[in-house]
Amino acid sequence: MNLLDRITQSLPEVAAPKQKKLAFNERLKWTLISLVLFFLLGMIPLWPLGANTLAQFEYLAIILGAEFGSLLSLGIGPIVTGSIILQLLNGAGILKFDLTTPEGKQKYQGIQKLVSILFIVFEAIIYVFMGGISPPTQIGAVVLASGTLFQMKLLLTFQLFLGGLIVLFMDEIVSKWGFGSGISLFIAAGISKQIFIRLFSFTDTAGNLFWESAYQGPIVGVLWSTIGALTSGDGQGAFLGIIAIVATAVVFAIAVYSQAMKIEIPLSFGRVRGHGIRWPLQFIYTSNMPVILVASLFATLQLWMRLLQNSMGAGQPICWIGDVSKWWCFPGGFAEGTGQAIGLLRVLNGPNLVDTIIRAGGQFSIIMPELIISLIYILLMIGGSVVFSLFWVQTSGQDSASLAKQIMSSGLQIPGFRKDKRILLRILDRYIMPLTVMGGITVGFLAALADTMGALSRGTGILLTVMIIYKLYEDIAREHLYDLNPMVRKFMGK
């Protein structure tokens, strides 16, 4: 046994259930417990916390299921990063794991956990020591010494590490004792929470309730602000609120419809005449992975640009990298009202085009730059989704050759044709590549559409929520069916 195997086997883990299949109510209980713990982690603040420049990265928080400034600041980022890197290395053949054997699966999971822990440590250090999350520089009138600041940074790093480990083990609990994946569950929970708050909150942007004396407005809840705008005769405000709600509903509806679309390839059992199945190929063939990868790339670029700005000093403008007078630089971005020029950072954040058009009052000089930025953003989202879709199919074993091998090993073949892998491969080639490209275009366009129309959450987050909840619903319905009809479980070989 080599050193790596000894390390992975000595890592702490959540024990798997002793019984072969858990009851439906038991799995539901552990899923809900993990969900409650996830929300509680987001309510526990880091201490001592001074500057929290990460709080403005809504895009990054959505993808990571994070709550910056709390124990949940790392979110699922280290787990997702470690999982994607390891899966890509395995798919590309750089690292080889035999996932058909229990030993191979155990080794893969152990290395995945080790990589995730390493990323927890790495990201915790980066967040704190590059100024994303910082301790206060002074307490009252007392300026803290550099040694004290360093100790506080170590304390913040440890808290981030602790929160990351808790999320890692919560993911294991859901995977072994609950429904689906903890990563998916936490992403969907975070986005659903954000949509609920954006729609129904009674507070202002500072968190003060509207009946409190400290309340300064405007109210965060889009539903209440829209009703208030209608009753006060503010047509512009009411229209913006209605657009946000309608855009969210439209993207939800299209995403659900697209998720249900599929092509079914008829297959038959070669040795059993008259019996066959239909092999489904989803229209969104690579599911939510392309949009996760594109959004993660955009959010990571924004994060590193902001951390770079922190290291350069707050007074340094970023027009990555160019003069303010250049045509690709647009004022605004995250530094609203400061006159800083933020180029690529502003494009990657995805502008609210509808809001700009309505508030501009027909001023073409204001609308035109936003229109250009929106067009670039939509093209980047679509192009990135297509590229990552093609890349993911080739590296994750979803290409025609891998699928044909899987079908042949199951004893299936195309009705009316002899059992030949080349025939099956030729038929699969007709569908998989077009579905990969069209699915990538669809998810990229839907995500960009929601962002530019000012939906209640980022378009990426809405798509992820729909796909995750849809899959979770299928898993829960299937398990409930198995509990009600044990013979169905035996028939399906579960």
Side-chain angles (χ1 to χ4, degrees), residues 109-129:
Q109 292 170 355
I111 294 179
Q112 180 180 342
K113 180 184 289 186
L114 177 62
V115 173
S116 298
I117 292 175
L118 293 176
F119 270 105
I120 289 174
V121 176
F122 174 73
E123 291 188 13
I125 294 173
I126 291 296
Y127 278 18
V128 174
F129 285 89

Side-chain angles (χ1 to χ4, degrees), residues 422-435:
R422 292 172 298 179
I423 297 174
L424 182 58
L425 189 61
R426 189 163 58 247
I427 293 175
L428 290 175
D429 282 337
R430 298 177 186 174
Y431 299 105
I432 288 182
M433 193 53 64
L435 288 176

Side-chain angles (χ1 to χ4, degrees), residues 44-100:
I44 302 175
L46 298 173
W47 186 91
L49 183 62
N52 180 15
T53 58
L54 294 178
Q56 59 193 303
F57 289 100
E58 177 191 11
Y59 210 168
L60 188 62
I62 287 173
I63 301 302
L64 301 184
E67 192 73 38
F68 293 126
S70 71
L71 281 180
L72 202 61
S73 293
L74 294 182
I76 59 164
I79 307 173
V80 171
T81 305
S83 176
I84 289 176
I85 289 177
L86 201 59
Q87 186 168 355
L88 292 178
L89 291 175
N90 183 47
I94 299 175
L95 293 178
K96 295 184 179 180
F97 299 94
D98 185 6
L99 299 181
T100 60

Side-chain angles (χ1 to χ4, degrees), residues 4-5 7-17 78-79 82-84 86-87 90 95-118 168-169 171-173 175-176 180 183:
L4 183 60
D5 289 337
I7 293 175
T8 54
Q9 291 184 10
S10 62
L11 293 174
E13 64 175 345
V14 175
I79 307 173
S83 176
I84 289 176
L86 201 59
Q87 186 168 355
N90 183 47
L95 293 178
K96 295 184 179 180
F97 299 94
D98 185 6
L99 299 181
T100 60
T101 63
E103 294 79 12
K105 290 181 179 178
Q106 185 178 6
K107 184 176 181 180
Y108 179 86
Q109 292 170 355
I111 294 179
Q112 180 180 342
K113 180 184 289 186
L114 177 62
V115 173
S116 298
I117 292 175
L118 293 176
L168 179 64
F169 291 126
D171 174 56
E172 277 196 61
I173 291 174
S175 301
K176 294 179 179 180
I183 293 175

